[in-house]
Each structure stands twice: as structure tokens, then as C-alpha cells.
Amino acid sequence: MNRKVLIIANSHAAAIMLAMKEKQIALDGSIEFLTLGGNELLPNLRVAQQRLYGDTQKVTEAIRSIGKGEDSLDLGMYPHIVVYGGQLLCKANGNDWISKLAQSNQFFSSAARQASYLESIHSSAHYGFLSRITDTEVLKKVISIPSPFPNILHPEFSKLKKPNIKYATQYLDLIAQEISQLGVRYLPLPVQLLAPEKYAVDSAFKVARPADVSHLNAAGGAIVLQFLLDVIQGA
Amino acid sequence: MNPYKELPAHAFWKLAVASKDVAEIDRLWDPRFKILPAQKVVTFGSCFAQHIGRALKSRGFSWLCTETPPNGLTDEGCQRFNYNVFSARTGNIYTASLLRQWTEWSLGKKSVPGEVWQQNGRYIDPFRPRIEPEGFESIDELQGSRQEVLAAFKAAIQKASYFVFTLGLTESWFHRKKKYEYPMCPGTVAGDFDATAHQFVNQRFDQVYGALEKAFALIRRANPKIRFILTVSPVPLTATKSGRHVIVATMASKSILRAVADQMTTEYEDVDYFPSYEIINSPVFQGAFFDANKRTVSPGGVGFVMDRFFQCLVAKYGSDILPNVTAATVDPFDEVCEEALLEAFGGEPK
């Protein structure tokens, strides 16, 4: 692949990297990662005049590590910028998504439910970063993909009463709508990742770390990577 | 020798007030109950009650909310939709008779009237006219929400160790024929006023006392171990329909409420009174705790009152009743994230 892709992601980048190594895909430097664990990266990124800046030392160091030692990154080099994860859809090890599913059987007024969905989306680091980009040339290159659902092996799923899928779907549609309104291309999670219940990741994609029910393994990362490459190459 | 000789310093104005800086005035409350952090406290009543719930929560006590907001709603969103304001979304329960009404409805002693107001194509609950910022989208939604709040109010009664109630008003509005009460005069924030249907009642001592006694009796029957803490809202009336000047009407109203609270604590051992009203309104404090409108209580005033609440508990029961505040620890999820990245990227530059 000769078109450079920048993936800006939190720890969910790990699965993609593992997939690249395992399947020997795009190890030629055509995919670059700007990544930090936790929630420091996206809230502290800033775009100005097609360059990406960090607002904390740690984020600036991450930029330096891929930007040839420079404190900012020239986004003009990348025809595609993927923003992946960053609490869009799922936060706190997937617990908030499971709470939403649990509450899908609870009564709320449509206005309160809608407000809670919008506030969840708008408070995510992912949406926050995208909404701060005002440069339409940069926005046109951005592809947004949410954090994966938690794995179906998450212990809370076993306690969950059958959720009302109508509300889960409403939330997913709202994410797509809100991201698209920013002028960004939104991609939902690839369906191959999903468990038969459709609101969790299939057990086949759980990482080996026992307590980690949030991150994808290399096989899951490969599905996300292939999905992205198909979209990019078809672009 | 006379009966005053043996009294403690706080019984004398000179020792307890005149000789002290106002900030040092203490022992304003002799709490009847040892409220422990693990015991569930519910709060209802006039607007000042919301500060008590918030203060309990922020100090690590178990403020119980039985009608939780949808996941993801921010604090601002919760305020807008009246979640986490009181222990259930009742809105303000200004009068003792409204408390009795909510208790009767939630415990199934009486059925909720079917009255619904319509405004700009939305539906308003006459018994919580400001609960939804834009009103409900349908009658079904309004009634669903009503069932939800009644169940939550009942759960609050059944699960709580302490029921905190702030008495706010004596002036009230009733449906003339059907005898149920509105929290606000129809036509003010919503609905239409109809002089033939809506009746103003400025409740006297006996009415307030009777309603409160009845409400507490019903609550006790549902939860025999529950105990009550009364407060009187220090916030003056916004407006009076009594025909008197609003200052005079306020004083009359608050005096009745204060007397009812006193009578309840005298008559019932499971009822206590916390003097937030006195702390805010005493001339000793020279109105310093009010906002510029001389009506609403400033955040500083609320803080001062709630500090006294906890100080008095500690003074009587010792500081070991205060919850242990644990130091912030590293979020275990952050560690999981770091591990995931380390495994994938190893020592390679990112």
C-alpha cells in the first residue's frame, strides 16, 4: 500500500498492531500509529493549519516519536487519518455500555434518554477531538471508528436481562449521526466481530489477559484492519 | 441556687452568641440519632432539601436515590431532568399535605388523579409541572413516568433508615371538588387557572400538623425502623396569595411550620429537627447567607449550614462516625490499557 494512513487511537490500537505483525500486513510503514493508553491522548490533541499538536508533555512525546522529532505532525502527509476508540460507544472496560443495555428495560422519557445518549457521545474523548477540528480539509480525511463493544465473556453480561435492542440501535444510530454531522466519515464496527447477540464482541476475539474484556485479540484486530483497508482502498 | 445555674454555656445568649465570633457559634443542634455512613438517608421536601442530599453524598454518607438517571447523563443534564435532586423525581414537595398525598399514592392508599395538562403539543404532569424541561411527548409517557416515580418513592420509604423532610410552605392549591393538591398554582408555570375548580388554602397549624402526622404514620407502617429528620426551608415565599405583605406572610408561614416541627419532635421520639432555618435566618448572621435577591440561599450559606450538620454529629458521637475517605488509586482499567499497548508495540517507537 502506498497511501499513508495515520491511526490515532488509545489502547485499541494494540489489536491492529498485533494483527499487522501476525499477518505481516502493512509493516512497510504505510500505517503509522499515534497512540497512548488510558484517556490522555485525544483530549490533548489539537489541529492547527493542518498540523497536529499535543497539549501535554506525554502527548507531545508521542507525536515526536512518529514526527521525526518534531513537536507537531504534518497531517498533509496522510491521505487518511483513522480515529479509533477513545471512549466512543464504550467506556470503563465496557461497563457503561452494559449499563445502557441494562437500562434499556427501564422507563425514561424519550427526551431524557436522548439527552443521556447525546451527552455520552459528546463527552467522549473521540467526539471531543473531532469536534475541535475546524479545518475541513483535515476533516475530509478522517475516518471515525468506535471502541469495540465489550466481549460477551464480560461477567456483567451473564447478569443482564434481555435488553431492549430498540434503544441500543437508537444509540448506535445517534453516534453515526453525530459523527457524520461533524463532516467526518463514520464506520460502524465490522459485523464479523459481533457475537450472535449483536451487542457484544464474540468470545473468539477476547485477548488472553483474563480480566481484559475490552480489547480485541490479533484476530479481532485483523478484522478491523481489513475493514479499514477495504474502505481506504475503495475510497 | 436556681434552675439556670447548672445549665451549659450554649443555653446563655451571652456565652453562646454575644461573646463569640459568628463562625464559632456551635452546638446549634443536638442530634437525636447517630447517623452512620452506611445507613441510607432519603431526602424530600421543599427546594432546600436538595442541598442536604448533595452534602450527605459528598461527605461519603449513603444518600439513597431510588430513581436513577439514564447512564451518561451529566450533572447538568440530571439537574435539567430533575434526577438526583431528591431521592425520587417528585419535584418539590412544598407542604406536609403534599407529602401525605405522595405517600398515600405510592403506598396504594389512594389512586393518582388522571388530570394531565397540555401545552405546546407536550404533556405536563400537574403534580410535577417542571419535572421534564419540555414536558412529556405523550400521555402514555407521562403516566409511565408517574408509575416510575411512585415506585421509586415507595422504595425510598421502604429502604431508608432516615427520611429527611424539609417543610416549605403553608400556602397551597387544591382541586375544589376532588380535594387533591397541586404543588403549584395552576396557570403559573403550566396549566390554566380556573377559579371555579382551583382553591387556595393557607394551611393552619392543625392542618399542617395533622397532614405530617398522617404521612409519617403511613411511612412508619411501611418501614417501622425508619426515623425522621425535619427541617424548615429558610427560603422566603416567592409570592403570597394571603393578601398580606410577602414578608408578613413568609413569617407567618415559617412560624407555623417551625411550630409543627417542634411539636412533632416533642411528641415523637423517632422525629428530630435540624435547625437550618435558624442558622440562615437568625439576626445573628445578619442575612449574610442569602443571595443578592435576599431570598435564595447562597452556596456559602448552604455550606455553612451543612458544615454545622456534620460538626454537631461529630460533637455528639465522635469523629469515628465520619466515613473513611480513601485515597484515589490508579484506575485498574488504565493498567489494562497500558498492558495491551505494551504487548503489541513492545519497545518499538509508536
Side-chain angles (χ1 to χ4, degrees), chain A:
Chain A
M1 194 173 72
N2 52 12
R3 309 181 81 184
K4 263 194 163 186
V5 179
L6 174 65
I7 297 182
I8 303 175
N10 56 2
S11 52
H12 292 296
I16 298 179
M17 186 59 180
L18 287 174
M20 285 166 59
K21 283 180 178 173
E22 218 166 82
K23 298 188 179 284
Q24 299 287 305
I25 307 170
L27 291 171
D28 55 355
S30 56
I31 293 183
E32 288 183 346
F33 289 91
L34 176 62
T35 176
L36 274 180
N39 194 30
E40 183 169 347
L41 181 66
L42 290 169
N44 294 298
L45 283 178
R46 188 168 32 92
V47 176
Q49 293 172 328
Q50 301 230 0
R51 295 191 78 83
L52 188 64
Y53 296 86
D55 285 337
T56 67
Q57 198 184 343
K58 219 169 156 185
V59 174
T60 306
E61 274 165 19
I63 288 173
R64 268 192 217 125
S65 71
I66 58 167
K68 296 172 189 162
E70 287 188 47
D71 283 354
S72 63
L73 195 59
D74 178 9
L75 295 176
M77 297 193 305
Y78 304 98
H80 303 286
I81 301 163
V82 176
V83 179
Y84 176 37
Q87 303 183 326
L88 187 65
L89 180 60
C90 277
K91 294 175 194 169
N93 211 11
N95 289 327
D96 78 313
W97 170 246
I98 298 173
S99 291
K100 279 195 169 63
L101 291 174
Q103 287 191 332
S104 67
N105 289 310
Q106 207 175 318
F107 180 89
F108 295 109
S109 71
S110 50
R113 199 184 287 277
Q114 171 94 352
S116 75
Y117 288 173
L118 282 173
E119 289 184 1
S120 287
I121 296 164
H122 294 170
S123 67
S124 70
H126 186 122
Y127 183 91
F129 170 56
L130 297 183
S131 67
R132 291 195 306 277
I133 304 174
T134 51
D135 186 330
T136 49
E137 288 307 307
V138 173
L139 283 170
K140 271 192 236 165
K141 300 189 216 181
V142 174
I143 294 170
S144 155
I145 183 163
S147 319
F149 292 129
N151 197 282
I152 193 69
L153 298 175
H154 192 303
E156 291 299 314
F157 275 125
S158 61
K159 301 175 196 164
L160 196 65
K161 274 198 328 192
K162 194 171 186 275
N164 185 337
I165 291 303
K166 174 183 137 188
Y167 293 121
T169 308
Q170 192 181 318
Y171 182 49
L172 298 176
D173 290 347
L174 204 56
I175 292 176
Q177 177 194 300
E178 290 298 297
I179 297 289
S180 303
Q181 276 179 4
L182 295 173
V184 167
R185 180 169 188 189
Y186 175 77
L187 299 180
L189 288 171
V191 288
Q192 303 96 300
L193 285 177
L194 305 186
E197 292 86 349
K198 304 287 181 210
Y199 50 72
V201 162
D202 195 278
S203 58
F205 305 117
K206 187 188 170 318
V207 281
R209 288 180 299 279
D212 189 346
V213 283
S214 166
H215 297 99
L216 300 175
N217 61 10
I223 290 174
V224 175
L225 178 63
Q226 195 53 56
F227 183 55
L228 280 171
L229 293 178
D230 288 350
V231 168
I232 287 166
Q233 280 156 3

Side-chain angles (χ1 to χ4, degrees), chain B residues 119-228:
Chain B
Q119 192 167 282
N120 304 323
R122 305 284 290 184
Y123 296 88
I124 313 291
D125 186 345
F127 308 110
R128 305 177 296 159
R130 288 198 284 206
I131 210 72
E132 284 279 320
E134 307 297 332
F136 293 95
E137 71 170 14
S138 66
I139 292 179
D140 279 353
E141 187 175 276
L142 184 153
Q143 282 168 346
S145 175
R146 235 183 226 175
Q147 291 314 308
E148 197 72 13
V149 66
L150 290 173
F153 190 75
K154 183 179 178 181
I157 289 171
Q158 290 172 328
K159 290 178 183 171
S161 297
Y162 296 100
F163 189 100
V164 177
F165 184 67
T166 300
L167 292 152
L169 297 175
T170 56
E171 295 195 14
S172 52
W173 288 91
F174 283 78
H175 192 285
R176 200 180 286 276
K177 281 189 190 146
K178 297 176 182 168
K179 304 295 176 198
Y180 54 75
E181 185 174 352
Y182 303 96
M184 303 184 81
C185 175
T188 50
V189 295
D192 293 309
F193 182 71
D194 175 356
T196 61
H198 302 136
Q199 180 185 17
F200 172 72
V201 178
N202 195 1
Q203 300 184 36
R204 313 310 305 163
F205 178 93
D206 286 352
Q207 289 169 290
V208 179
Y209 186 78
L212 197 59
E213 215 179 18
K214 177 77 190 293
F216 282 11
L218 287 169
I219 292 169
R220 251 184 231 113
R221 211 172 300 156
N223 177 0
K225 288 185 177 167
I226 203 166
R227 284 175 281 189
F228 302 92

Side-chain angles (χ1 to χ4, degrees), chain B residues 32 43 47-48 81 99 123 132 166 184 226 231 239 249 264 326 336:
Chain B
R32 202 170 241 183
T43 52
C47 52
F48 196 78
F81 285 91
L99 175 66
Y123 296 88
E132 284 279 320
T166 300
M184 303 184 81
I226 203 166
T231 66
M264 288 294 288
T326 48
V336 167

